[in-house]
């Protein structure tokens, strides 16, 4: 076939087609009669390579010279019986990119209504299958990365809490205790000494409470179940809340990472219930077996519409972000989080975690 320069029958057609394909993010070209490319976008250069700048007549066959099975695509474009089509072609390995195997490309095309005097027009879109597959895998991995970031953030915060709690307990409380002992031993007036001692005792008590709230030692020393029991007692004393806990006396086997995240999640749920359902009965249940641990926090408070508890809603913003954080963190350690609530019917939150079969600890 002798190559000849082709001019569209409609002078404005080439400009119009160029404008259309320039808006597309994938390699795209408009082909006439399965042969002549009358328009293409800049991404098409990834397909055509140096053939775009060769000065030769721009045909589909020439652009796809480094592909195999191009005849299948060209014949389908030349046929007047198909409106749409798809073909997978393989590009020869790129030596510069050190490719060892042919690279698959998916070519999709759709017939366009031709102007009067024009041949069969079709828009052709090309997709690098390997690149697209990698993009999909990255999209699948992204939630995992987000969850992992949340876990790391939680662990960083927990480490800081422990440092502060340790400092308050070992330094501040200890020094205040020494001050108290010195005052007692100094023999000051009884009234003054008693006042000072009472103040120091109050400070020591507050510091100890704060250090336990930041990072309860019972969580690391005795496990999740004992930490939840401590959380119930402590919250009832501090906030005059009506909280009970029911458990099967089995310590859920899980790593310190998971244990920390679950405890923080339960604490968030309990504090939400205390805040938004004052006076309501709050019940925590914790049961586990060799497969999973199930922790539920429920109350018989006023409840709420879960559809409206979304970030951005002024009245529920802090609660919504807290619940979203709980869900992401639990998902990040392979668990599930289910929240059920309706106005007038209370609220129930369930955390399910896969338990570990061995005794080895995990670090994140």
């Amino acid at each position: 076939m002798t190559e000849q320069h082709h001019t569209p029958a409609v002078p404005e057609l080439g400009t119009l087609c160029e404008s259309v394909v320039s808006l597309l993010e994938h390699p795209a070209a408009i082909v006439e009669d399965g042969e002549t490319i009358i328009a293409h976008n800049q991404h098409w250069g990834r397909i055509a390579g140096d053939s775009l700048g060769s000065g030769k007549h721009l045909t589909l066959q020439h652009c796809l010279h480094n592909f195999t099975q191009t005849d299948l695509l060209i014949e389908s474009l030349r046929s007047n019986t198909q409106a749409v089509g798809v073909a997978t072609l393989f590009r020869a390995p790129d030596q510069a990119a050190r490719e060892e195997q042919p690279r698959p490309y998916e070519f999709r095309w759709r017939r366009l209504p031709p102007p009067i005097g024009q041949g069969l027009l079709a828009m052709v879109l090309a997709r690098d299958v390997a690149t697209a597959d990698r993009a999909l895998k990255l999209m699948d991995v992204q939630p995992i990365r987000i969850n992992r970031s949340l876990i790391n953030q939680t662990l960083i915060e927990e480490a800081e809490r422990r440092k502060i709690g340790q400092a308050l307990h070992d330094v501040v409380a200890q020094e205040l205790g020494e001050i108290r002992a010195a005052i007692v031993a100094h023999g000051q007036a009884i009234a003054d000494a008693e006042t000072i001692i009472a103040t120091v005792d109050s400070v020591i008590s507050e510091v100890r409470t704060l250090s336990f709230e930041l990072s309860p030692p019972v969580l690391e020393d005795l496990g999740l179940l004992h930490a939840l029991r401590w959380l119930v007692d402590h919250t009832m004393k501090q906030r005059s809340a009506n909280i009970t806990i029911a458990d099967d006396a089995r310590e859920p086997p899980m790593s310190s990472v998971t244990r920390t995240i679950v405890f923080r999640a339960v604490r968030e749920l309990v504090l939400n219930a205390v805040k938004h359902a004052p006076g309501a009965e709050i019940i925590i249940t914790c049961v586990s077996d060799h497969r999973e641990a199930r922790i539920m926090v429920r109350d018989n408070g006023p409840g709420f519409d879960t559809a409206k508890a979304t970030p951005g809603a002024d009245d529920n913003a802090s609660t919504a972000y807290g619940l979203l954080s709980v869900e992401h963190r639990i998902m990040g350690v392979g668990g599930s989080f289910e929240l059920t609530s309706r106005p007038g019917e209370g609220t129930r939150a369930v955390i399910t975690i896969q338990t570990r079969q061995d005794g080895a600890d995990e670090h994140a």
Side-chain angles (χ1 to χ4, degrees):
M1 179 184 299
T2 303
E3 294 183 341
Q4 297 177 350
H5 183 70
H6 182 88
T7 302
V10 180
E12 297 83 9
L13 180 61
T15 302
L16 177 61
C17 291
E18 292 283 358
S19 299
V20 171
V21 296
S22 67
L23 300 175
L24 302 177
E25 297 181 356
H26 294 283
I30 294 181
V31 182
E32 183 181 26
D33 292 333
E35 177 182 356
T36 306
I37 296 177
I38 63 175
H40 62 82
N41 61 9
Q42 60 179 359
H43 304 299
W44 188 258
R46 299 203 299 267
I47 302 298
D50 58 0
S51 63
L52 288 181
S54 64
K56 296 181 180 180
H57 179 39
L58 190 59
T59 65
L60 188 62
Q61 180 72 55
H62 184 65
C63 282
L64 302 182
H65 69 278
N66 57 344
F67 282 78
T68 61
Q69 301 178 337
T70 56
D71 291 341
L72 296 176
L73 174 63
I74 293 174
E75 288 300 321
S76 63
L77 290 172
R78 287 175 176 172
S79 172
N80 198 21
T81 61
Q82 289 181 260
V84 296
V86 60
T88 300
L89 310 183
F90 292 85
R91 192 185 70 182
D94 187 350
Q95 301 300 326
R98 297 183 178 179
E99 293 179 347
E100 298 180 357
Q101 301 294 330
R103 194 179 189 88
Y105 276 76
E106 184 181 76
F107 287 79
R108 292 180 177 271
W109 61 269
R110 176 178 291 275
R111 186 76 66 202
L112 301 177
I116 297 176
Q118 201 76 32
L120 296 175
L121 296 181
M123 178 179 290
V124 181
L125 298 177
R127 184 175 73 99
D128 184 339
V129 176
T131 301
D133 289 345
R134 284 198 300 270
L136 288 175
K137 289 179 180 179
L138 288 174
M139 291 175 66
D140 291 338
V141 170
Q142 194 62 22
I144 299 175
R145 290 180 175 175
I146 294 174
N147 292 332
R148 178 61 62 182
S149 297
L150 287 169
I151 294 172
N152 291 336
Q153 178 184 352
T154 301
L155 295 178
I156 292 172
E157 292 174 353
E158 183 66 20
E160 292 302 317
R161 289 190 183 98
R162 288 180 182 176
K163 289 180 182 178
I164 296 173
Q166 193 72 22
L168 289 173
H169 182 271
D170 294 347
V171 180
V172 180
Q174 182 176 344
E175 291 184 357
L176 288 176
E178 293 176 356
I179 292 173
R180 181 183 186 281
I183 292 175
V184 172
H186 231 266
Q188 296 187 16
I190 296 297
D192 293 338
E194 288 180 350
T195 300
I196 294 174
I197 291 172
T199 302
V200 173
D201 286 344
S202 177
V203 172
I204 293 175
S205 177
E206 290 296 329
V207 168
R208 285 176 176 169
T209 298
L210 178 59
S211 66
F212 270 72
E213 284 187 347
L214 288 170
S215 180
V218 66
L219 180 62
E220 285 297 321
D221 296 341
L222 300 178
L224 177 64
L225 193 58
H226 287 82
L228 293 179
R229 293 171 181 170
W230 172 87
L231 176 65
V232 170
D233 293 338
H234 178 71
T235 306
M236 289 179 62
K237 293 177 182 177
Q238 294 295 314
R239 300 175 181 265
S240 300
N242 180 15
I243 311 175
T244 58
I245 183 169
D247 59 70
D248 57 1
R250 291 169 55 93
E251 172 62 26
M254 58 183 66
S255 70
S256 61
V257 171
T258 303
R259 187 166 56 239
T260 296
I261 289 175
V262 170
F263 176 80
R264 291 295 169 192
V266 174
R267 184 174 182 272
E268 177 78 18
L269 295 171
V270 170
L271 293 181
N272 277 343
V274 172
K275 177 181 178 181
H276 297 288
E281 181 184 17
I282 303 171
I283 301 176
I284 302 174
T285 59
C286 179
V287 294
S288 63
D289 56 25
H290 66 283
R291 294 176 299 177
E292 64 182 25
R294 181 181 173 91
I295 303 97
M296 180 171 64
V297 179
R298 59 186 176 93
D299 65 71
N300 60 355
F304 63 96
D305 186 351
T306 55
K308 295 181 179 179
T310 56
D314 294 339
D315 295 338
N316 303 306
S318 60
T319 300
Y321 279 113
L323 293 174
L324 184 62
S325 175
V326 167
E327 181 179 12
H328 281 178
R329 290 174 178 177
I330 293 300
M331 290 174 60
V333 291
S336 64
F337 176 73
E338 177 186 358
L339 179 70
T340 306
S341 184
R342 293 180 181 176
E345 298 184 12
T347 302
R348 183 185 70 172
V350 179
I351 296 172
T352 305
I353 297 289
Q354 298 298 313
T355 52
R356 292 167 0 98
Q357 301 301 315
D358 54 36
D361 202 358
E362 291 180 8
H363 301 284

